[in-house]
């Protein structure tokens, strides 16, 4: 492995870890803002409501089922970032939530809106970073990438809007509280992730020419 390849490898690992940790921070911010969870959280909560079970139980079940499907369809998307996501996202979310609870025990609407915006844009940025690192993604993220890149159903941004919308609709049907943060994330996450890919993550990894 030459110097350039070694540098690329460590860049990708650092990007994967960074993306997963920031995703966890954003989940904690969403939880504290209480203005609507991200679409996948809505979906898992809705499924859990059907069986009168807990979110944590069905997060494992749903994510595990999606991961099995990814393994058989396009296991290229399973990698070190997938493992990092599995073990560190929840820890990072709890860490951020605890910090925000200590700083803002009873946040006003302005503070909650700031937390929500951090959650939205931070999640998009983080997803872009670890997508571009290409060392594995979460099971849910993988399916939008598979639909766009393997099956060529639609551009990624539209695949993401479609999957997020299905998740939100499922949550709504099964009595999950849907807020402005949920709607904004469902409609705009795909395009914003694509913008970060083109303008930030890919230039950082490959250089401005994207090669």
């Amino acid at each position: 492995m030459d110097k350039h390849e070694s540098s690329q490898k460590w860049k990708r690992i650092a990007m994967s870890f960074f993306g997963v940790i920031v995703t966890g921070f954003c989940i904690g911010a969403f939880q504290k803002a209480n203005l609507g969870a991200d679409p996948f959280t809505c979906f898992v909560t809705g499924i859990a409501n059907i069986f009168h079970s807990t979110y944590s139980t069905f997060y494992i079940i749903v994510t595990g089922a999606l991961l099995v499907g990814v393994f058989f369809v396009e296991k290229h998307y399973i990698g070190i970032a997938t493992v990092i996501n599995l073990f560190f996202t929840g820890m990072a979310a709890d860490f951020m939530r605890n910090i925000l609870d200590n700083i803002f025990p009873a946040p006003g609407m302005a503070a909650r809106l700031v937390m929500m915006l951090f959650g939205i844009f931070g999640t998009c940025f983080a997803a872009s970073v670890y997508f571009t690192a290409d060392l594995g993604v979460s099971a849910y993220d993988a399916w939008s990438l598979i639909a766009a890149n393997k099956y060529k159903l639609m551009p990624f941004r539209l695949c993401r809007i479609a999957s997020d919308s299905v998740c939100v609709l499922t949550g709504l049907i099964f009595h999950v509280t849907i807020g402005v943060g949920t709607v904004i994330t469902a409609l705009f996450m795909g395009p914003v992730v694509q913008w970060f890919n083109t303008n930030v993550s890919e230039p950082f990894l490959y250089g401005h020419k994207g090669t």
Side-chain angles (χ1 to χ4, degrees):
M1 181 183 296
D2 62 26
K3 185 176 180 180
H4 176 72
E5 289 176 339
S6 178
S7 174
Q8 285 277 303
K9 175 185 175 182
W10 287 109
K11 262 190 180 182
R12 291 177 185 275
I13 292 173
M15 288 171 71
S16 297
F17 193 82
F18 174 84
V20 168
I21 296 301
V22 172
T23 297
F25 287 167
C26 292
I27 292 171
F30 268 128
Q31 291 172 339
K32 185 63 178 178
N34 195 29
L35 291 171
D38 63 278
F40 187 58
T41 298
C42 290
F43 178 78
V44 175
T45 303
I47 299 300
N49 287 346
I50 297 172
F51 296 94
H52 305 288
S53 187
T54 63
Y55 173 83
S56 59
T57 298
F58 271 85
Y59 180 84
I60 294 171
I61 293 172
V62 172
T63 302
L66 291 174
L67 195 58
V68 169
V70 173
F71 178 82
F72 285 107
V73 174
E74 192 65 78
K75 63 182 177 182
H76 160 75
Y77 289 113
I78 300 174
I80 187 171
T82 313
V83 177
I84 295 171
N85 182 285
L86 181 64
F87 289 104
F88 288 98
T89 301
M91 292 171 58
D94 288 345
F95 179 76
M96 176 58 81
R97 178 63 188 270
N98 289 336
I99 288 176
L100 293 175
D101 282 342
N102 289 328
I103 298 175
F104 303 103
M109 181 55 69
R112 292 169 64 198
L113 286 172
V114 171
M115 293 174 200
M116 181 193 73
L117 290 173
F118 170 77
I120 292 169
F121 287 100
T123 297
C124 293
F125 176 54
S128 170
V129 169
Y130 74 76
F131 287 174
T132 303
D134 199 23
L135 292 177
V137 298
S138 72
Y140 176 65
D141 292 330
W143 279 106
S144 292
L145 292 167
I146 289 169
N149 298 333
K150 181 179 176 67
Y151 295 114
K152 311 294 184 184
L153 297 180
M154 294 181 289
F156 169 77
R157 64 183 182 278
L158 297 180
C159 290
R160 186 62 186 235
I161 289 172
S163 63
D164 284 350
S165 297
V166 169
C167 287
V168 172
L169 181 60
T170 301
L172 186 62
I173 291 171
F174 295 107
H175 312 297
V176 176
T177 300
I178 305 299
V180 63
T182 310
V183 176
I184 292 173
T185 307
L187 294 177
F188 296 106
M189 186 169 179
V192 176
V193 170
Q194 187 63 59
W195 186 91
F196 277 123
N197 285 349
T198 302
N199 294 281
V200 181
S201 301
E202 291 172 1
F204 174 77
L205 181 60
Y206 302 115
H208 292 294
K209 294 182 180 179
T211 56

